Every structure is written in structure tokens, then in C-alpha cells.
Amino acid sequence: MTNVSAAGLHIGPDHPPRVMGVLNVSEESPYDPSVYDDPAEAAAYVDDELVGEGADIVDVGLESANKRFEVLSAEEELERLDAAVETVERVDGDAVFSIETRYAEVAEAALSRGFDMVNDICGFADPDMADVCLAHDAPVVKMASPPDLERPGAIASVDDIYATLERDPLPENAIVDPAFGGWSEEKTLDDDRETFHRLGEFRDLDRPILISINRKNFLGDVVGRDTDERLPASLAATALAVERGADVVRTHDVAETVDAATIGHTFGREC
């Protein structure tokens, strides 16, 4: 199994699970606790609430992927990049910084200005994305999505998710994300349940696995809880996912997720 390294942070099955905290510099993002447009306030949030609570990686979003909002162009994302870069420069704590973008042009700019890795939620819809990240020796997350720059979307069946992730040669620095949850109206609870049951099969892609399940609707459907009541369900799912092979867990609840991932790793894998 291939391990990858982001600014000296080793990611993969030979290492403990890594926790990715979330910072949004997009004013339209729906999760208020993670949204900041002032770099000083954003940096304080990263130091206190993300790195301070155990995040290894900070994923910075320039726009919301929520389908209620128009997709930003690469030029519009680049306009927001200045605030993200200033935030990174102001952070005192030690963390790897990931930029969430679908555009190779934005990835190139971010990696040139201090970011360490890329989270591509459109699954290499931009054909230059993999080459840009390889040129910078930076890991890149490939989310299972139809290759459409206009809109990321979920893929329902496990077999189709797998086929999408392995489509085109995966670069050696890739991390795969099977894309749980409500990216598509066609995706059902049964689809997410089957993906969760078969999560270990993605090990056959020979790349580290990232999951993003924090407080998602499919967990709420199981336990009958609204978003603000789903933390226990998220933590239970996190421990199970790490036991089944997840190497990175993306979350808004860092401290609690660190504990859940540690339990999944300690009791679920050979350490």
C-alpha cells in the first residue's frame, strides 16, 4: 500500500489516522462555526479550534459546494485565495494546509504560495490537476465524482465509485475519497450503507483513503437526529471507518474525532 507525505506528514496505513479540520473563507458556506473572512480571526480559529484540538491537516474551502449556490470560476476562487494565504501565514501552530478546489490553476497558485496539498472535489475534472500536484510533490485528494467542473456529484453504487476513482492512472501522490452523503438526490441511505460496509475494498486502489462523514444526513437518517445532535453518530461512524481502513477523517469536530479515530485505530488495526 502506498503512503504519501504532505510537508513531512506521513499519511497511509503505516501511520496513525490523520484528522483534517475545516476552515471556510467562503461567506456562503452553511456551517457557521468554520466560516471566516478575516485572516486574523481565521488564523486564531485554526490555532485554537483546529490545530489546538489535534488537527493534523487544515482543509481551506474557497467556496461552498452546496448545490444551492452558483459555482465560482477559477478567477473568482483566485480572488479569495489572498485571504486564505494570509491566514496560513498568520497561523502559529504546526499543521499541513490543504486547499479545496476543482481548478488546476487555483491549485498551482495555492501550492506556490504555501499550501501543502489539494482536495479536489470534482475528481480530476480539470485534466491538469494531477500533473500540477505531481510537479509540486503535493498529495491530492481525488473525490469520487462525475468529471464535471460545473458541479461535483455523488455516485451511487460502490462498483461505480470504485471505477470512477481508478479511471485514468491514479498518480502516486493521490488519496481517494469515496464521497459519502448528500452530493446527489439519487444517492440513498442504502447506497451509503453499502459503501460503508465495503470501505475496505478501496484498499485495492493502493492509495490512502479519506472519508468525510461528519454529521452528514445519511447518519441523521439512521439515528433520527438533526445536524446539531449528530455528533455521537459521527464519532461511532468514525471509529468504524478507521477500523475499516480510513487514513484521513475530515471533520468540523476535531477534538472528539481525534479520540474516535484513535479508538478505531488502536482496537481495529495492527499498530
Side-chain angles (χ1 to χ4, degrees), residues 150-174:
E150 290 299 314
R151 182 64 66 190
I155 297 169
S157 80
V158 180
D159 292 336
D160 289 343
I161 292 170
Y162 193 100
T164 298
L165 288 172
E166 72 172 350
R167 183 181 57 234
D168 304 324
L170 276 171
E172 63 184 15
N173 60 334

Side-chain angles (χ1 to χ4, degrees), residues 5-260:
S5 178
L9 178 73
H10 299 294
I11 302 168
D14 294 334
H15 306 281
R18 306 305 186 183
V19 171
M20 174 185 275
V22 180
L23 171 71
N24 290 301
V25 295
S26 51
E27 61 187 25
E28 68 275 10
S29 292
Y31 192 74
D32 288 342
S34 69
V35 180
Y36 291 88
D37 58 9
D38 178 83
E41 293 179 357
Y45 174 74
V46 171
D47 277 324
D48 296 339
E49 305 295 332
L50 300 182
V51 178
E53 293 190 353
D56 305 290
I57 305 166
V58 176
D59 192 36
V60 182
L62 300 174
E63 66 174 302
S64 174
N66 191 302
K67 293 187 176 183
R68 293 180 297 148
F69 303 112
E70 293 294 323
V71 174
L72 297 185
S73 66
E75 291 73 21
E76 289 170 318
E77 283 199 2
L78 286 169
E79 289 177 2
R80 295 184 176 187
L81 185 61
D82 286 342
V85 169
E86 185 177 346
T87 297
V88 171
E89 293 173 344
R90 286 173 174 265
V91 169
D92 293 324
D94 185 16
V96 166
F97 285 91
S98 167
I99 191 75
E100 183 185 283
T101 184
R102 66 198 73 192
Y103 301 113
E105 179 183 357
V106 178
E108 169 71 41
L111 293 172
S112 297
R113 298 179 65 187
F115 279 82
D116 307 301
M117 60 183 288
V118 175
N119 184 10
D120 183 356
I121 61 174
C122 282
F124 296 177
D126 187 326
D128 295 326
M129 180 65 82
D131 288 341
V132 163
C133 295
L134 276 173
H136 284 271
D137 194 25
V140 56
V141 179
K142 181 182 183 182
M143 194 184 91
S145 169
D148 181 358
L149 274 176
E150 290 299 314
R151 182 64 66 190
I155 297 169
S157 80
V158 180
D159 292 336
D160 289 343
I161 292 170
Y162 193 100
T164 298
L165 288 172
E166 72 172 350
R167 183 181 57 234
D168 304 324
L170 276 171
E172 63 184 15
N173 60 334
I175 298 168
V176 295
D177 175 2
F180 284 98
W183 293 88
S184 167
E185 293 179 0
E186 290 76 28
K187 194 166 189 178
T188 67
L189 172 59
D190 286 341
D191 293 324
D192 277 318
R193 181 186 291 116
E194 184 180 5
T195 304
F196 209 100
H197 287 168
R198 296 172 59 184
L199 189 61
E201 294 180 25
F202 292 95
R203 282 280 177 222
D204 294 340
L205 292 169
D206 196 35
R207 297 294 185 275
I209 299 168
L210 179 146
I211 60 158
S212 181
I213 56 176
N214 185 240
R215 299 182 186 243
K216 287 202 168 179
N217 288 340
F218 81 98
L219 297 177
D221 291 341
V222 173
V223 298
R225 302 284 186 182
D226 292 332
T227 302
D228 59 356
E229 298 176 325
R230 291 177 193 160
L231 179 57
S234 293
L235 300 180
T238 293
L240 285 171
V242 170
E243 188 274 334
R244 294 175 187 186
D247 300 294
V248 183
V249 182
R250 187 177 185 274
T251 181
H252 291 280
D253 302 298
V254 170
E256 298 89 342
T257 300
V258 168
D259 288 350

